[in-house]
């Protein structure tokens, strides 16, 4: 994906400075991407957002079904979740508390 110098100059014609919002608009209009900017030093999600996402994820029946299957497999000697028994047990406990 690229944009010609002519297109770039035409997009910013008459502007002494190119603002960040102008660049975002250019990308969205010419390449079809939805662009969301975030500062590098800020966390991707707030603690509250993470909590809400976790709650939504663990209410999903497909996720719960996969965890049940992983628990069943682990009890039968097949490790499908992780190499850590403690981590797996902690995850199952968290899921049971969410329900």
């Amino acid at each position: 994906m690229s944009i010609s110098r002519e297109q770039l100059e035409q997009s910013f014609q008459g502007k002494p400075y190119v603002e960040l919002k102008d660049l975002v608009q250019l990308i969205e209009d010419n390449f079809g991407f939805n662009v969301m900017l975030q500062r590098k030093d800020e966390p991707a999600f707030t603690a509250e957002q993470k909590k809400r996402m976790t709650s939504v994820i663990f209410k999903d029946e497909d996720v719960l079904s996969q965890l049940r299957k992983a628990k069943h497999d682990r009890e039968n000697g097949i490790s499908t979740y992780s190499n850590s028994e403690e981590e797996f047990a902690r995850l199952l406990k968290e899921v049971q508390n969410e329900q």
Side-chain angles (χ1 to χ4, degrees), residues 67-84:
L67 287 170
R68 284 187 209 102
K69 181 177 180 344
K71 180 180 180 183
H72 178 266
D73 289 348
R74 185 170 287 272
E75 288 169 348
N76 291 314
I78 304 168
S79 176
T80 57
Y81 172 69
S82 72
N83 293 330
S84 170

Side-chain angles (χ1 to χ4, degrees), residues 29-67:
D29 291 346
N30 286 282
F31 301 115
F33 286 97
N34 183 17
V35 178
M36 186 177 96
L37 301 175
Q38 180 176 336
R39 294 190 60 81
K40 284 184 177 182
D41 55 349
E42 292 179 7
F45 298 104
T46 66
E48 183 59 33
Q49 287 171 320
K50 287 179 184 178
K51 188 175 181 179
R52 285 195 315 250
M53 285 188 298
T54 300
S55 178
V56 168
I57 289 168
F58 288 117
K59 287 180 182 171
D60 184 294
E61 191 52 43
D62 289 334
V63 171
L64 296 173
S65 174
Q66 289 176 3
L67 287 170

